[in-house]
């Protein structure tokens, strides 16, 4: 509690964006991991797990959880544990999983390898920053198939997930489904270079995701409906699909989302808001301090996103959104505009602010911006109070905007990971955005 409130103050001084978290609510587990260790330790090896890479850890993990679910730590020690059957860990309180070793997937069922459901005061972490799940997704992907997702938290409140690596999921890596008061940090996610392998998908209330690196070819860190008060910062999309809000449909109810310090390299987009029909609102969101290099799209609102089946409704209302301090380059700004604001004809966007936007093109010597039904200031947005539908307008830029040049991360990935070979388990990095120290030090220095 004390730590969290001090931390929240420190953060709000350094980063105004922290205002998007709700004040007066618990963030993270109220009980420290050391207090949980003192209550009870349920080591999976005492429940039948063997670090031989063959014996199924599924039943021992469930048994260890059952013994520690009302307080304590489920410990997965160093070593390689095979997982052949999946677990749902339901209804825990004041507990945690300390995860030192590697779980390698050997089972082939769909669904999720680990579901944590209906828990409060929960921590999933590695005190050595060494815990990893190796999904061996390539065994599916090389056959043109998908398999299970790695981890899903459902209806979990006051929790943290940190200092672990999620590698080569057969499908999505980490899903936070209807969660509250959570913190996710110091994570690395390494998926194959194809769609359908999302990094982090999150929806809920009051969640702080920071200092995360994602490689894949789909969602980096993406907010889904419904959500409010979510702060996402220091994110490194190191060859990914890029981050997004969506895809959105009926009854969209998203507000107070901040993305801050987002570095995106060789991805589909830096930030995309995507819908196709639908209704409801995305409002009061901030997208600040973005650096992009060689992405196909950059700032991209698409209310006619054809990869999504057309939904009923006049369109989602995008309102009161601020994009500020975007720097770097896009791959080819004459082909894919670095500003694309395509809003619904039946529900024009309003209150969109684009400021301090200096993105240039890697290829050629001109780029353009493209707007439709989008009201506000900056780029090709139309100002004023008419707030009516208008046809596509474009603006051509023939000289590099001043100040576009932006720092690069060391060792940006030169190409994606093949979907036909195993992906090596990386270590948790100590930097996720140029010049920015992670908000929390790695558990194991
Ligand atoms: C979680 O709680 C909800 C509501 O009580 C319940 O419907 C659901 O079955 C629980 N989940 C599990 C896995 O038992
Ligand atoms: C969206 O449309 C559905 C019917 O198509 C309606 O029931 C619902 O109330 C609408 N939601 C909003 C937020 O307008
Ligand atoms: C990006 O990913 C590549 C491939 O694993 C890695 O070598 C590189 O170190 C990563 N960059 C950073 C700064 O972590």
């Amino acid at each position: 509690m004390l730590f969290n409130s001090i931390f929240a103050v420190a953060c709000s001084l350094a980063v105004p964006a922290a205002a998007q978290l709700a004040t007066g609510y618990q963030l993270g587990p109220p009980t420290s991991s050391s207090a949980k260790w003192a209550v009870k330790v349920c080591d999976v090896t005492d429940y039948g797990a063997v670090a031989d890479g063959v014996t199924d850890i599924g039943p021992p993990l469930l048994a260890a959880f059952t013994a520690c679910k009302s307080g304590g730590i489920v410990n997965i020690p160093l070593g390689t544990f095979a997982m052949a059957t999946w677990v749902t860990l339901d209804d825990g309180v004041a507990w945690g999983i300390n995860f030192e070793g590697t779980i390698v997937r050997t089972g082939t069922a769909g669904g999720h390898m680990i579901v944590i459901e209906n828990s409060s005061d929960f921590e999933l972490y590695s005190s050595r920053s060494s815990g990893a799940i190796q999904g061996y997704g390539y065994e599916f992907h090389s056959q043109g198939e998908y398999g299970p997702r790695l981890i899903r938290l459902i209806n979990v409140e006051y929790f943290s997930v940190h200092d672990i690596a999620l590698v080569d999921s057969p499908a999505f890596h980490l899903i936070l489904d209807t969660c509250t008061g959570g913190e996710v940090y110091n994570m690395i996610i390494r998926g194959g270079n194809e769609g359908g392998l999302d990094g982090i998908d999150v929806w809920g209330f009051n969640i702080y995701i920071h200092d995360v690196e994602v490689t894949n070819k789909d969602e980096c860190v993406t907010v889904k409906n419904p959500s409010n008060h979510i702060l996402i910062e220091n994110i490194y999309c190191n060859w990914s699909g890029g981050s997004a809000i969506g895809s959105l449909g009926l009854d969209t109810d998203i507000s107070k989302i901040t993305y801050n310090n987002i570095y995106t390299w060789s991805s589909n987009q830096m930030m995309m808001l995507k819908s196709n029909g639908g209704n409801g609102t995305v409002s009061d969101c901030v997208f600040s301090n973005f650096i992009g290099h060689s992405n196909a799209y950059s700032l991209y609102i698409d209310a006619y996103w054809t990869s999504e089946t057309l939904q009923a409704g006049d369109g989602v209302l995008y309102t009161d959104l601020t994009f500020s301090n975007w720097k770097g380059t896009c791959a080819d700004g004459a082909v894919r505009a670095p500003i694309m604001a395509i809003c619904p004809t039946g529900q024009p966007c309003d209150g969109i602010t684009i400021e301090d936007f200096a993105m240039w093109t890697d290829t050629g010597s001109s780029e353009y911006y493209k707007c439709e039904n989008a009201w506000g200031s900056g780029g090709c947005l139309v100002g004023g109070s008419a707030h009516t539908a208008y046809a596509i307008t474009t603006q051509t830029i023939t000289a590099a905007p001043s100040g576009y040049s932006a720092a690069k991360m060391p060792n940006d990935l030169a190409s994606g990971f093949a979907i036909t070979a195993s992906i090596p388990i990386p270590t948790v990095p100590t930097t996720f955005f140029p010049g920015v120290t992670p908000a929390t030090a790695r558990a194991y220095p």
Side-chain angles (χ1 to χ4, degrees):
M1 275 292 233
L2 183 61
F3 171 78
N4 277 319
S5 48
I6 290 170
F7 181 66
V9 168
C11 235
S12 59
L13 289 178
V15 187
Q20 292 294 50
L21 289 173
T23 49
Y25 290 86
Q26 175 69 29
L27 183 69
T31 308
S32 70
S33 52
S34 55
K36 289 171 185 169
W37 279 93
V39 171
K40 190 171 183 184
V41 178
C42 303
D43 194 295
V44 289
T45 60
D46 293 331
Y47 296 84
V50 184
D52 59 1
V54 179
T55 307
D56 183 14
I57 195 179
L61 180 56
L62 184 57
F65 166 73
T66 303
C68 261
K69 67 187 278 185
S70 37
I73 291 286
V74 172
N75 192 45
I76 303 174
L78 287 170
T80 300
F81 297 88
M83 191 159 192
T85 57
W86 312 157
V87 293
T88 294
L89 309 178
D90 179 61
D91 202 22
V93 64
W95 71 291
I97 300 177
N98 177 49
F99 187 13
E100 308 295 0
T102 302
I103 291 179
V104 299
R105 179 198 57 77
T106 56
T108 55
H112 300 79
M113 289 175 65
I114 300 176
V115 173
I116 315 284
E117 193 161 352
N118 302 329
S119 268
S120 184
D121 191 356
F122 168 69
E123 184 165 358
L124 170 62
Y125 76 112
S126 174
S127 61
R128 294 174 192 259
S129 305
S130 59
I133 299 185
Q134 169 57 273
Y136 290 134
Y138 78 98
E139 293 176 356
F140 293 91
H141 307 149
S142 60
Q143 306 302 310
E145 292 169 4
Y146 291 93
R149 303 167 180 192
L150 297 189
I151 303 179
R152 187 181 197 110
L153 273 58
I154 306 171
N155 188 31
V156 176
E157 60 176 12
Y158 315 130
F159 65 96
S160 63
V161 178
H162 62 99
D163 287 275
I164 58 175
L166 301 179
V167 182
D168 199 8
S169 178
F172 298 178
H173 290 80
L174 175 63
I175 302 152
L176 306 179
D177 169 349
T178 321
C179 292
T180 297
E183 194 177 355
V184 175
Y185 56 97
N186 295 346
M187 297 265 305
I188 183 158
I189 292 175
R190 279 286 155 78
N193 190 36
E194 69 171 355
L197 309 179
D198 296 14
I200 300 180
D201 290 332
V202 55
W203 61 105
F205 166 68
N206 211 38
I207 296 172
Y208 183 23
I209 299 177
H210 59 95
D211 302 294
V212 172
E213 177 174 335
V214 176
T215 297
N216 57 359
K217 209 63 199 173
D218 210 318
E219 309 298 340
C220 183
V221 179
T222 285
V223 172
K224 295 185 172 284
N225 188 54
S227 288
N228 65 84
H229 292 92
I230 296 185
L231 173 59
I232 296 168
E233 65 183 357
N234 308 342
I235 304 299
Y236 180 23
C237 310
N238 180 9
W239 199 289
S240 169
S243 295
I245 296 181
S247 47
L248 305 171
L250 283 176
D251 293 318
T252 295
D253 184 9
I254 294 183
S255 64
K256 294 192 161 47
I257 312 298
T258 291
Y259 279 81
N260 182 55
N261 293 348
I262 310 298
Y263 181 95
T264 310
W265 151 252
S266 202
S267 297
N268 185 62
Q269 78 267 349
M270 291 169 69
M271 186 73 218
M272 184 170 182
L273 285 74
K274 51 189 179 181
S275 52
N276 191 9
N279 63 8
T281 304
V282 177
S283 65
D284 196 8
C285 301
V286 174
F287 307 89
S288 53
N289 305 319
F290 276 56
I291 293 177
H293 294 289
S294 309
N295 303 294
Y297 297 93
S298 301
L299 190 173
Y300 189 10
I301 299 174
D302 191 353
Y304 292 96
W305 190 50
T306 50
S307 299
E308 180 183 1
T309 309
L310 178 65
Q311 310 288 304
D314 288 344
V316 171
L317 173 62
Y318 296 99
T319 182
D320 193 10
L321 310 180
T322 298
F323 300 84
S324 71
N325 190 27
W326 285 47
K327 302 278 186 285
T329 61
C330 58
D332 189 344
V335 172
R336 296 190 180 90
I339 295 177
M340 295 213 357
I342 308 301
C343 295
T345 303
Q347 194 64 272
C349 301
D350 60 18
I352 312 294
T353 303
I354 301 176
E355 59 192 16
D356 201 4
F357 185 94
M359 301 283 315
W360 187 233
T361 178
D362 287 335
T363 310
S365 55
S366 79
E367 62 184 17
Y368 76 115
Y369 301 155
K370 180 174 175 182
C371 290
E372 182 180 10
N373 309 317
W375 294 82
S377 63
C380 50
L381 296 167
V382 173
S385 55
H387 181 49
T388 48
Y390 65 82
I392 289 173
T393 64
T394 61
Q395 187 179 335
T396 302
I397 289 86
T398 54
S402 70
Y404 80 89
S405 150
K408 287 201 158 192
M409 291 292 280
N411 314 316
D412 279 337
L413 187 54
S415 64
F417 287 100
I419 59 169
T420 50
S422 182
I423 298 176
I425 296 175
T427 52
V428 174
T430 52
T431 174
F432 301 85
F433 189 83
V436 173
T437 304
T440 309
R442 196 166 61 179
Y444 193 76

